Amino acid sequence: MNKKDLEIIENSIRVIPDFPKPGIMFKDITTLLNNAEAYKTLIEHLVDRYKSYNLDYIAGIDARGFIFGAALASHLGIGFVPIRKKGKLPYTTVSQKYSLEYGYDEVEVHIDAFKKQDNSTANVLLIDDLLATGGTASAASELIKQLKANCVEACFIIELSFLEGAKKLDVPVYSIIKE
Ligand code: AMP
């Protein structure tokens, strides 16, 4: 991405100190979304990057991954799959638990989400707004694997590199902003 476009995106993200708890610098992407130039610049960049990847699906992580993933999927002319927090999906699911600071959380996906008409393996791009410890994204990529699809890459708008989340993922990671 060129410097000008990167600046447009970086400058559109608001940082809220101590949210939702002391010590967390929360990256608020709502100010990217309501900035027409920044949102368009971001989606155009992702379309440009992924148009040659031969993707079949974009899998977005609940909930901010939906906003970027669905727009990208539509531009690429492919399907979008939501990976949701436990208990939200109505049909048969597979699920994966992951550890939090205290306790655990769980994500799930519909069992037939990555089906292809010819039964060949689907190429999937995983997307979320932010990579922190990597727990959420690695659970999501496990789900893609469980359904015998191929997670080609995991894409994030922001990566908090100091938390080393990329090390938890056994797929290539692409992040637009690294901190
Ligand atoms: P993790 O599983 O630790 O990689 O956390 C990633 C998830 O938590 C993503 O869905 C993010 O949206 C959210 N998240 C974690 N840290 C932050 C932060 N500093 N600002 C905004 N969202 C965050």
Side-chain angles (χ1 to χ4, degrees):
M1 171 176 282
N2 68 52
K3 201 163 167 255
K4 180 175 158 275
D5 286 354
L6 184 60
E7 271 174 18
I8 290 169
I9 294 167
E10 267 176 335
N11 293 338
S12 72
I13 297 167
R14 176 164 61 186
V15 181
I16 312 282
D18 300 320
F19 181 88
K21 54 186 180 182
I24 304 284
M25 299 292 276
F26 191 87
K27 310 291 183 181
D28 176 15
I29 53 91
T30 65
T31 46
L32 184 163
L33 299 172
N34 74 0
N35 177 328
E37 187 190 25
Y39 193 26
K40 182 170 183 279
T41 301
L42 174 72
I43 297 299
E44 281 177 355
H45 169 71
L46 294 177
V47 170
D48 210 44
R49 177 177 176 84
Y50 289 112
K51 65 187 179 203
S52 59
Y53 269 59
N54 197 25
L55 296 170
D56 297 297
Y57 295 97
I58 308 284
I61 299 178
D62 201 343
R64 280 165 274 160
F66 297 172
I67 303 165
F68 302 108
L72 178 58
S74 173
H75 277 81
L76 292 174
I78 60 177
F80 174 78
V81 172
I83 295 188
R84 299 220 62 180
K85 295 280 165 63
K86 180 95 184 147
K88 305 282 185 187
L89 290 170
Y91 185 60
T92 312
T93 60
V94 291
S95 66
Q96 183 75 37
K97 284 185 183 169
Y98 59 98
S99 307
L100 298 173
E101 207 176 339
Y102 301 103
Y104 69 90
D105 215 337
E106 197 164 351
V107 282
E108 57 184 9
V109 68
H110 278 149
I111 198 156
D112 58 354
F114 302 116
K115 278 258 162 68
K116 286 186 70 179
Q117 296 244 314
D118 62 2
N119 281 326
S120 63
T121 304
N123 286 326
V124 179
L125 175 74
L126 180 64
I127 190 164
D128 201 2
D129 64 331
L130 187 140
L131 177 66
T133 66
T136 318
S138 72
S141 84
E142 280 305 314
L143 288 178
I144 295 169
K145 230 188 276 170
Q146 268 186 56
L147 293 181
K148 309 266 183 279
N150 174 31
C151 185
V152 174
E153 189 159 273
C155 171
F156 305 92
I157 315 309
I158 307 157
E159 176 181 346
L160 304 181
S161 310
F162 60 93
L163 293 173
E164 300 191 325
K167 286 192 183 159
K168 259 203 201 132
L169 291 166
D170 56 2
V171 296
V173 170
Y174 174 66
S175 314
I176 293 173
I177 300 167
K178 284 191 183 197
E179 294 191 356

